Amino acid sequence: MFQKILIANRGEIALRIQRACRELGIGTVAVHSTADAEAMHVRLADESVCIGPPAAKDSYLNIPAILSAASITGADAIHPGYGFLSENARFAEMVEAHGLTFIGPSSAHIRMMGDKIAAKTAMGGLGVPLVPGSDGAVPDLATARTVAARIGYPVLIKAAAGGGGRGMKVARAPDELDEAFGTARAESRAAFGNDAVYMEKYLDRPRHVEFQVMADQHGAVVHFGERDCSLQRRHQKLVEEAGSPALDAAGRERMGETVTAALAQLGYRNAGTLEFLYQDGQFAFIEMNTRLQVEHPVTEMVCGIDLVREQIRIAEGEALGYGQSDVRFSGHAIECRITAEHPETFVPSPGRVTAFHAPGGLGVRVDSALYAGYQVPPYYDSLVAKLIVHAPDRPAAIARLARALEEFAVLGIETTLPLHRRIVEAPEFQAGDYTIHWLERFVAGGEP
Ligand code: MV4
């Protein structure tokens, strides 16, 4: 049993992890930069340690400072949250080398999934459906031509070290391949210091559907269903739902069985998410995330489980204690990511929050570290609140979301609340009829 957990993160996710710790009777250590001395995650923790100046590379990414903070406070384990060091295999290794538990998967699995080619090779070998594409890395233009001729245009060239869309280039016809290949390589090298690329058939109107899984250290694996994360702009998700409007219980069960069987074979442990593109009734695996995700609350609402509690229990060596048939899905949940940005231009809007009123009532959850008087610093991600609603079905969830968004007031800074109010009113959103491209066009103001 852990006595004390150090939470290597900030903002709403640091609070989220503290809440799980408190319910389990585990002490909490917050770490913070000098810019975050007044932050809510510091105020609510049992103990806190300043780990450096504002820039993330000097504080929330400062491994020696974080390990020292764990050592001085006598923490047993580190929860990395999302972002920052959460998918850094070296960090996971160093945590364990210092005799602490990293609350997450093994460093070997983090490293494997960080290499998008290795992830695809592993998952494909375990029976998970893939997008047609190259068999591993594409070393040169001649190979790229051969692969493209086999899978057909349009094709995508992706960075092996990528994810989140960086270093990704489409070639719609043979005469575009040379430039796309060269640009993808150059961008990959510049962004990741690694120019390995691979190729896939370009799917033109997919949905982004991802499966949440949880595995214990004793070989048990369950899935908690899927989330639809198609509503994004420039690879930033704005709205997520569970389940996907495009999937029924039978489709969920079929894909769920495939992913749990694959992860059991792999010997995976703790939380993970498999990302798929879903088009014309077909799933195609693209990437796996080896961390707790921002949008985990929608899954918690429909499954009635605490995913962070499960992560902590598993890291302590406890068995899941239930099987897939014990996981029940109830109703529908939707999350809005509210950021401190202008709702039309998306220009960041840090500054003093002068008033903060969160909505409430049945089926409404707000995960936020904001408070009236808080100064949103300019150094970090602009996410300031997640509004999550849960209701018996999707139309009821949308009605609840609309009224909760009306109640929500954040004054003093610009937020994306007005954009979220527009999205819930949109007929395409209400019909659940959208792909990864819909929001991009909706925000631009053009026809979807
Ligand atoms: C794709 C694709 C279409 N076809 N792969 C973007 C980020 C990275 N995680 C994978 N991405 C995509 N891969 C094939 N073969 C379209 C995207 C994509 C996308 C995927 C999920 C969510 C939003 C997206 C926005 C633009 C492009």
Side-chain angles (χ1 to χ4, degrees), residues 44-102:
L44 292 184
D46 295 324
E47 297 171 73
S48 64
V49 180
C50 182
I51 50 167
K57 67 169 177 28
D58 300 320
S59 50
Y60 298 102
L61 294 172
N62 184 342
I63 295 176
I66 291 168
L67 292 175
S68 301
S71 168
I72 342 168
T73 55
D76 311 298
I78 298 186
H79 195 305
Y82 54 67
F84 295 127
L85 296 168
S86 61
E87 292 181 290
N88 184 319
R90 269 298 289 152
F91 179 61
E93 270 166 8
M94 288 172 79
V95 169
E96 302 276 338
H98 280 72
L100 306 171
T101 302
F102 178 80

Side-chain angles (χ1 to χ4, degrees), residues 131-132 156 158 163-166 168 200-204 206-208 229-230 232 234-235 237 275-277 286-287 436-437 440:
V131 192
L156 254 187
K158 292 183 169 183
R166 285 205 293 172
M168 201 172 87
E200 283 178 357
K201 174 94 183 168
Y202 175 69
L203 303 180
D204 62 342
R207 301 179 75 110
H208 174 149
C229 305
S230 303
Q232 58 80 44
R234 301 198 180 167
H235 304 293
K237 297 168 183 173
E275 294 188 357
F276 293 89
L277 298 178
I286 47 170
E287 290 171 25
I436 59 169
H437 304 296
E440 211 90 54

